[in-house]
Amino acid sequence: MSPSERLAQVLTEGRFIAIRELGEESAAELHTHAKERYLALEESIPRFRSSMNRKLFELGPPALAIYQALHHDLGVDRGPALRMTEDMLLAFHRKQRSRSPLLGAAMDIVLRLKPARSLLLKSMLTREPGGFRFDRASDAGAPLDFDVRACPLVTFARRQGAPEVVPMVCRLDDLQAQEPRGIELQRAGALGMGAERCDFRYVTAKK
């Protein structure tokens, strides 16, 4: 799915949040301004060939467009604008999970079956210029472990003068990791939060 289609979904699923925080009239203005902001960003969005890169990147432009519309067009202060944008992303994420419960089951299979993990890692290590760059890790206690050394979301947001939007997209990883039972994500840092790498360690949850 394209970032523009994701933007439409986030605006739809997060509309009740916009109405609650801004009122009906301003919520309608947000919808219009966010689409205008997205159109202004569209030419600068990378055109990845890899489906994995496209999938991992797709929520970045919508988050940025909504944040810019709130902060610059509607005059919402930076902190509340970030919080509202993240709340709308979370509303979208929850709806997606409720509509597609098999996504959580698929992640569960990947984390538990070695052949599935090997296939996933192989696809991640196929690099594309300007795309996400993954490196293998060697944590014996983690069924699935890897590092992200380059993130186009961080590059894109910095070029647009809004690196502060990236952490909210990163936090969705934590929510997705809660779905498989008995597995948890341990991560000491993230590129979007100023670390030198994103260290993903999926480990067996402690009982």
Side-chain angles (χ1 to χ4, degrees):
M1 187 168 289
S2 70
S4 62
E5 292 171 312
R6 285 301 190 208
L7 172 63
Q9 288 183 320
V10 174
L11 288 170
T12 297
E13 303 302 345
R15 186 171 182 271
F16 74 95
I17 294 168
I19 292 173
R20 182 188 69 200
E21 300 291 333
L22 303 170
E24 288 272 3
E25 184 176 342
S26 292
E29 290 179 15
L30 171 62
H31 197 279
T32 299
H33 288 307
K35 288 188 173 181
E36 292 170 347
R37 288 283 177 177
Y38 177 82
L39 289 174
L41 293 170
E42 198 165 26
E43 285 300 314
S44 61
I45 296 174
R47 301 297 190 262
F48 293 119
R49 297 188 307 275
S50 159
S51 59
M52 178 171 288
N53 277 319
R54 292 196 302 270
K55 180 68 177 175
L56 293 174
F57 188 85
E58 68 182 4
L59 283 177
L64 181 58
I66 292 170
Y67 170 66
Q68 288 178 329
L70 285 167
H71 190 37
H72 299 297
D73 298 316
L74 296 179
V76 179
D77 288 342
R78 180 180 182 274
L82 284 169
R83 177 180 52 77
M84 198 182 313
T85 303
E86 183 165 10
D87 286 348
M88 293 176 74
L89 281 180
L90 290 173
F92 158 77
H93 179 268
R94 292 188 189 102
K95 180 62 75 171
Q96 288 294 108
R97 287 293 166 178
S98 68
R99 287 176 176 168
S100 304
L102 290 178
L103 291 175
M107 186 63 174
D108 196 48
I109 291 171
V110 167
L111 289 172
R112 295 182 188 282
L113 298 180
K114 186 175 181 179
R117 294 198 302 271
S118 297
L119 188 61
L120 174 63
L121 285 170
K122 183 178 179 180
S123 66
M124 291 167 65
L125 293 172
T126 302
R127 295 178 180 175
E128 178 177 1
F132 290 85
R133 183 164 68 84
F134 300 94
D135 285 344
R136 289 183 182 274
S138 56
D139 189 331
L144 179 63
D145 56 334
F146 56 88
D147 295 327
V148 182
R149 295 289 184 175
C151 175
L153 278 172
V154 174
T155 303
F156 179 75
R158 284 176 178 167
R159 286 176 178 167
Q160 301 302 326
E164 61 268 28
V165 304
V166 179
M168 70 177 70
V169 180
C170 297
R171 282 190 283 271
L172 293 179
D173 294 326
D174 301 313
L175 289 178
Q176 291 170 346
Q178 293 173 6
E179 306 250 343
R181 289 168 295 190
I183 300 292
E184 65 182 31
L185 170 62
Q186 293 181 353
R187 184 169 56 179
L191 291 165
M193 300 177 192
E196 64 177 14
R197 61 177 179 164
C198 305
D199 55 333
F200 285 79
R201 304 292 184 269
Y202 291 91
V203 302
T204 303
K206 294 180 180 179
K207 296 182 180 180

